Amino acid sequence: MGGLTFRTPGKDGEPALDTPRMPPAAYVRLREKYLELLCGKFYQRVACPTESPEKDSYGDIDIVVEGPRFSFTVQDLSCALGARRYHYDAANPTVNFNFAVPDTEGGGGGEEGEGEGEGAVVVYRQLDVHVCKPGTLDWEVFTKSYGDMWSIIGSMGRFYGLTVNDTGCHVRIGEIETDNRKRALLLLTRDPTQTLLLFGLDPCRHAQGFGSVDEMFDYCASTRFFRHAAFEDLGEKHKDRRRVAQRPVFRRWVLEYLPTRADVLVRSPELSREAVLEEVLRTFSKQAEYDALVSEWRASVAEAELWKKVAAVVPLNGEKLNLVVRGLKKIFAAGDAAVVFESDADGVLAEARERVTRPDGALDEVRLLEWVAMNWERVKVEERSRVKREKRERQAGREGVATTESGG
């Protein structure tokens, strides 16, 4: 199959286009053409990740770019490329673009009457352009090169708490990971050489490239994190089943190559996730950042648990409970000194935080819960009054704008 994005009609009635796979000569010719165009006119840096070895045809051309030279739209880009159709991800409208670009030298199967000269036949090819975040192009080229290489190596690194993605090489903080995978990531590096060395891989061998898929597999298997178990039970998750079904090289690794390496089930049996954590914190000077993230996480967990206890003290539920808890958080949130109370002549609400705060600035749980049990009804009245007041102010503001516009 070739590129698939344009196989169906567009939402605005654009025709379906066949974008067949490219032979190597067509791929190289078009790759160089569009690298030159994108770099010369639109972006400061452009590159193509190295393709997987043994490919005899290509479904699309992947180009990563960084640093726009001026402000332009996807329509401007499409026009310069001579694209018949374009597509972009609505969730990331400035990050990923797909174009159906003409190839007048591509042979039969295209459309007549378009291209360079009367009667020329145009074959369309799919060109994918990915816009990198500033300073990340080299890293993205590295992780996208050789097809499924980092899908394979990364799967083995995960057992040891390492995650390689499009933003860098990270270590995952175990006590955070269960509840919040994103917050558990601590960036170690975006340097390709440092990452290869961390995985026990030879940077020079990587730079030489691979003449065959088996050569690439041998390189992947040389990582110090090599372990068969990383690829067991792949049928349990939909994502893994899809990788095996849709990625021929990954499937070949799992079904053909791994059985030939039964002599080495684990490259470093003495190595543990905890040992790798200690090593990377030392190697990349990340101990202070790690400690700060753990401390911040523990504080947020403790705060969440405290508010669960606070909510349990209030004999309400549903939106009525939410109303009171919102009011309580305004009173006791650290640093929120701008709360205005309408009905607090005796100062119970205004002085509440001071009364339940310990000398170190933290809330005293026992005194807080006692205060809430005694005063939650006053908080409910005050918060309800605040909600009504803000609603009146918003309404007055809308009416004022309407009056101004009608008078103008």
Side-chain angles (χ1 to χ4, degrees):
M1 293 187 297
L4 302 177
T5 301
F6 303 103
R7 290 288 182 90
T8 57
K11 61 181 180 179
D12 295 323
E14 302 100 327
L17 297 174
D18 183 31
T19 50
R21 296 187 67 83
M22 292 165 273
Y27 171 81
V28 171
R29 171 171 47 80
L30 294 172
R31 181 190 66 191
E32 297 308 308
K33 172 183 177 180
Y34 292 116
L35 282 171
E36 181 178 357
L37 187 152
L38 291 170
C39 188
K41 293 186 177 181
F42 291 95
Y43 295 98
Q44 295 177 19
R45 298 188 68 203
V46 304
C48 269
T50 304
E51 289 284 354
S52 180
E54 296 185 13
K55 274 198 168 185
D56 57 6
S57 64
Y58 302 83
D60 52 34
I61 304 166
D62 291 310
I63 296 181
V64 293
V65 300
E66 181 183 80
R69 295 182 181 276
F70 60 96
S71 179
F72 55 87
T73 66
V74 63
Q75 291 87 350
D76 297 329
L77 202 53
S78 179
C79 184
L81 293 167
R84 176 68 183 272
R85 282 179 57 187
Y86 66 85
H87 174 269
Y88 59 89
D89 183 356
N92 297 286
T94 62
V95 176
N96 295 303
F97 307 122
N98 313 107
F99 301 94
V101 294
D103 178 12
T104 55
E105 301 176 41
E111 299 181 1
E112 281 195 44
E114 299 184 18
E116 304 173 358
E118 189 175 350
V121 175
V122 179
V123 174
Y124 290 97
R125 311 295 192 186
Q126 182 169 319
L127 170 66
D128 297 340
V129 177
H130 172 70
V131 183
C132 302
K133 294 178 182 177
T136 65
L137 183 140
D138 291 333
W139 174 258
E140 293 217 32
V141 169
F142 169 66
T143 56
K144 288 178 168 62
S145 287
Y146 303 114
D148 292 306
M149 172 182 280
W150 274 104
S151 178
I152 293 169
I153 299 173
S155 295
M156 294 181 280
R158 287 193 63 81
F159 178 84
Y160 297 96
L162 299 175
T163 291
V164 175
N165 59 24
D166 60 349
T167 62
C169 178
H170 311 259
V171 66
R172 302 190 310 280
I173 302 174
E175 70 177 271
I176 302 177
E177 182 179 9
T178 302
D179 296 313
N180 193 315
R181 292 184 180 181
K182 186 174 182 179
R183 286 183 65 178
L185 294 177
L186 171 59
L187 177 66
L188 299 175
T189 183
R190 291 193 185 98
D191 182 274
T193 298
Q194 289 182 345
T195 301
L196 290 170
L197 291 173
L198 170 60
F199 277 76
L201 295 167
D202 182 358
C204 294
R205 179 67 187 88
H206 183 275
Q208 292 171 4
F210 308 99
S212 69
V213 171
D214 281 341
E215 278 187 21
M216 185 180 78
F217 285 167
D218 287 340
Y219 184 75
C220 293
S222 71
T223 174
R224 63 182 178 136
F225 300 134
F226 176 79
R227 55 188 297 113
H228 273 249
F231 304 96
E232 295 176 356
D233 304 320
L234 290 179
E236 293 183 359
K237 295 182 180 179
H238 173 70
K239 180 180 179 181
D240 291 332
R241 292 197 301 271
R242 186 173 59 189
R243 271 200 300 173
V244 173
Q246 299 182 0
R247 307 292 300 182
V249 173
F250 184 81
R251 182 169 64 249
R252 181 170 160 182
W253 162 269
V254 173
L255 300 181
E256 298 179 23
Y257 183 82
L258 280 181
T260 71
R261 300 305 304 268
D263 57 318
V264 183
L265 297 180
V266 181
R267 175 77 60 199
S268 308
E270 76 289 349
L271 199 59
S272 66
R273 177 169 177 171
E274 292 72 23
V276 172
L277 173 62
E278 291 181 10
E279 175 192 332
V280 298
L281 294 181
R282 182 177 62 254
T283 301
F284 296 98
S285 302
K286 292 289 182 173
Q287 186 67 57
E289 192 173 346
Y290 170 86
D291 291 341
L293 286 174
V294 170
S295 178
E296 179 184 340
W297 172 254
R298 290 175 180 173
S300 67
V301 170
E303 181 181 6
E305 290 300 316
L306 176 60
W307 282 104
K308 286 181 182 178
K309 294 178 182 179
V310 168
V313 170
V314 180
L316 299 172
N317 47 49
E319 185 52 39
K320 292 181 180 179
L321 174 60
N322 294 337
L323 179 79
V324 174
V325 172
R326 283 198 300 269
L328 288 167
K329 286 186 176 180
K330 288 184 175 65
I331 295 172
F332 294 106
D336 191 353
V339 182
V340 178
F341 302 103
E342 289 188 343
S343 54
D344 189 37
D346 56 3
V348 170
L349 300 180
E351 298 172 6
R353 181 170 178 83
E354 181 180 351
R355 292 180 180 180
V356 303
T357 300
R358 300 197 307 251
D360 63 0
L363 296 175
D364 183 285
E365 181 177 318
V366 174
R367 281 186 282 167
L368 172 63
L369 296 179
E370 290 176 350
W371 190 97
V372 172
M374 294 175 58
N375 298 285
W376 67 266
E377 291 180 282
R378 292 186 63 165
V379 175
K380 181 180 73 171
V381 172
E382 180 66 35
E383 182 66 9
R384 184 177 292 161
S385 175
R386 183 194 63 79
V387 171
K388 290 180 179 179
R389 182 177 69 251
E390 291 183 354
K391 184 177 180 180
R392 290 195 301 269
E393 290 172 353
R394 288 194 299 270
Q395 181 63 31
R398 287 194 293 267
E399 291 174 353
V401 170
T403 301
T404 302
E405 290 177 348
S406 61

